[in-house]
Amino acid sequence: MTEIYETQSERTDLPLVVMPAVLDAMIEPIKAQFPALHDVARVRMFEEFTSDEAVLAERLKNADALLVGGYHISDDLLRTISEQGHVKCIVFCGTGVASYINLELARELKVRVCNAEHYGDHAVAEHTFALLFELIRKVGQLDKDVKAGNWAWAGGDGLQLAGRRMGIIGLGGIGTTVAGIARAFGMEVAAWNSHVPAEHFERSGSVPVDDLNELIETSDVISVHLPLNDATRGIVTAENLAHLQPGTMLINTARSEVIESGALFARLQEGDIPAALDVFDHEPLTVDDPICHVPGIVLTPHVGWRTDGAFKELTRQMIACMNAYFAGEDYNVVVSEH
């Protein structure tokens, strides 16, 4: 039976905030934030993760606001909870809300949508290097070999980061953090100069490169950190990827959709580009997905953002969004209800 955690249940005069599904790792961090809603709103959290929309809709009956944790809101569910219910504010547990909710439909329905910003800069940047180190040092495979009694050095010779060039596509909070780590490893760092404030280059020590093809062609490692929005969807094209030189390593911990659909898989099929991905066109991946069978590829299940520090800051911002909504203020608003 699903555990239900509630606060101020007797305060029926207060609006109701419902979290109809929650990731296990978020339960304690977000509980620690609920006191900030004292005398502002009641909270009802179902301590079980599900993406079953019939279940979500049932749990959201009588809700005034919704906390979303790790599942997609279909257009049908969005219409159900806004038109047939009372939900007029949705707070998403992350930055890339456009991948999970139809923002244009939310705007039509006059539902406020909020997200969290920069909560996972360090988490995603660190995961970027976890993926990169797996490509250059193959620690996971070597661990298996040693435990299997294989002490042979075959495959154990790695690549060195110091002296190599990191090319960053997307020099925001995460990209800037990646740049700092790369420089600490002795790498030269360059970044695509696409609507990036000059201070980002100054702060990160990155060299601006105006032409994306030039950045891709002259880098030893390409790391993607663009947010997903209407302007960035498919912005990295097949023509851009054609400029990858054999042996260039590609890391994507941003969103799969910022790369032209099908372009990355087609380029990887040539077999000369080591790649590590944390994001995909369809999640979760199935074992028969073609991307799983690209030789040498490293894949993780969209976990770059999941660290203790990121959960703490993420949940703080989620509750801050709720407080602002009920106070008639704005905080991390992506779509306004007005």
Side-chain angles (χ1 to χ4, degrees):
M1 184 175 179
T2 303
E3 293 289 333
I4 302 176
Y5 180 84
E6 297 190 77
T7 67
Q8 305 180 95
S9 57
E10 73 287 352
R11 291 291 307 274
T12 55
D13 58 309
L14 296 176
L16 176 63
V17 174
V18 175
M19 193 166 194
V22 61
L23 300 169
D24 288 346
M26 286 185 67
I27 292 175
E28 294 309 317
I30 203 162
K31 278 183 179 179
Q33 302 295 336
F34 285 153
L37 289 174
H38 185 71
D39 289 338
V40 174
R42 296 172 286 153
V43 173
R44 180 178 300 148
M45 179 174 70
F46 293 79
E47 296 186 5
E48 174 196 50
F49 184 80
T50 180
S51 57
D52 185 316
E53 296 205 336
V55 175
L56 295 173
E58 179 65 25
R59 293 176 178 181
L60 282 165
K61 284 184 177 179
N62 303 316
D64 299 288
L66 162 62
L67 293 168
V68 176
Y71 50 88
H72 291 78
I73 301 290
S74 72
D75 290 358
D76 286 343
L77 180 59
L78 182 56
R79 289 190 180 94
T80 296
I81 63 178
S82 63
E83 294 176 345
Q84 301 176 20
H86 306 91
V87 175
K88 293 301 175 187
C89 178
I90 298 174
V91 176
F92 176 69
C93 70
T95 302
V97 63
S99 298
Y100 290 80
I101 300 171
N102 183 337
L103 299 184
E104 187 55 42
L105 179 59
R107 192 172 288 110
E108 292 175 12
L109 296 171
K110 300 187 184 305
V111 176
R112 175 184 286 204
V113 179
C114 303
N115 68 352
E117 299 178 352
H118 300 297
Y119 69 94
D121 288 359
H122 288 280
V124 177
E126 291 170 8
H127 193 70
T128 296
F129 280 89
L131 292 172
L132 179 54
F133 272 104
E134 187 60 28
L135 286 180
I136 66 172
R137 301 308 299 261
K138 300 179 175 60
V139 173
Q141 184 58 53
L142 293 172
D143 171 70
K144 292 179 181 178
D145 289 345
V146 171
K147 290 175 179 176
N150 179 12
W151 194 259
W153 286 1
D157 296 332
L159 301 176
Q160 181 172 294
L161 290 183
R164 281 185 160 83
R165 179 178 169 99
M166 166 80 80
I168 295 174
I169 303 176
L171 196 63
I174 296 171
T176 298
T177 306
V178 167
I181 298 172
R183 290 181 65 225
F185 278 118
M187 301 186 77
E188 175 192 349
V189 182
W192 186 28
N193 188 16
S194 175
H195 309 292
V196 177
E199 57 266 25
H200 286 212
F201 289 101
E202 296 168 7
R203 186 167 67 250
S204 66
S206 304
V207 176
V209 178
D210 293 337
D211 185 81
L212 181 55
N213 290 339
E214 179 186 343
L215 177 73
I216 290 173
E217 193 169 290
T218 59
S219 297
D220 300 298
V221 179
I222 291 293
S223 195
V224 183
H225 301 289
L226 291 166
L228 177 64
N229 52 46
D230 290 340
T232 62
R233 188 180 297 274
I235 196 170
V236 179
T237 66
E239 196 274 330
N240 295 140
L241 296 181
H243 287 266
L244 285 164
Q245 297 299 299
T248 300
M249 292 168 277
L250 187 143
I251 315 290
N252 189 1
T253 54
R255 283 292 188 273
S256 175
E257 297 94 333
V258 301
I259 300 176
E260 180 184 344
S261 180
L264 179 57
F265 179 72
R267 181 64 185 87
L268 295 179
Q269 287 290 90
E270 296 181 30
D272 61 349
I273 301 299
L277 310 175
D278 187 48
V279 291
F280 309 93
D281 290 340
H282 305 285
E283 299 179 4
L285 285 182
T286 56
V287 293
D288 59 347
D289 193 294
I291 200 73
C292 295
H293 304 287
V294 173
I297 198 167
V298 174
L299 308 177
T300 54
H302 203 153
V303 294
W305 62 282
R306 296 184 63 162
T307 66
D308 54 351
F311 278 124
K312 182 177 181 180
E313 175 58 16
L314 168 62
T315 54
R316 184 199 68 77
Q317 289 190 41
M318 291 176 74
I319 300 307
C321 288
M322 282 298 174
N323 262 317
Y325 171 67
F326 291 120
E329 300 169 354
D330 289 346
Y331 185 87
N332 289 0
V333 176
V334 178
V335 172
S336 174
E337 69 275 29
H338 302 300

